[in-house]
Amino acid sequence: MGDFRFYFGGGYQLRAGIPDIGELFAPIDLALLSIGARQSVAMHWGTFVLTDEAMDELPRRLRLALERRGIREDAFRVMQHGEISSPQ
């Protein structure tokens, strides 16, 4: 893929210092984050009932947050359970 840069955040973005990652590895083309980059993939949502929130609440919150901040909805890819896809 040439100069394509992929970042898998795991749980790291929840701790202090995450802005440094973007500066250190810029430009990031695709980031896998636990619900940036030019495009991000939302993951780890709705798999297990761990809280009182609805199973689809996190993707809905993400859409609202993107809208409030004026970020295009297609900047985040929310994959459905069992979906297999490659970045476009």
Side-chain angles (χ1 to χ4, degrees):
M1 282 197 185
D3 294 339
F4 185 84
R5 291 195 178 221
F6 171 79
Y7 173 71
F8 175 73
Y12 182 78
Q13 72 275 8
L14 301 177
R15 296 192 288 269
I18 190 63
D20 301 335
I21 295 295
E23 294 170 15
L24 183 63
F25 296 108
I28 297 172
D29 296 293
L30 178 67
L32 255 56
L33 303 172
S34 298
I35 280 231
R38 275 174 264 166
Q39 183 173 25
S40 298
V41 177
M43 61 181 196
H44 294 170
W45 67 272
T47 305
F48 303 101
V49 179
L50 299 174
T51 64
D52 294 337
E53 65 201 12
M55 292 294 274
D56 67 340
E57 186 170 344
L58 294 177
R60 288 188 288 122
R61 283 187 189 182
L62 174 61
R63 277 193 299 278
L64 290 172
L66 294 173
E67 183 180 317
R68 281 193 302 268
R69 289 167 178 79
I71 299 172
R72 293 184 345 264
E73 190 171 329
D74 66 354
F76 259 88
R77 174 89 164 91
V78 180
M79 296 181 73
Q80 300 303 307
H81 298 110
E83 181 179 355
I84 298 172
S85 179
S86 57
Q88 299 173 356

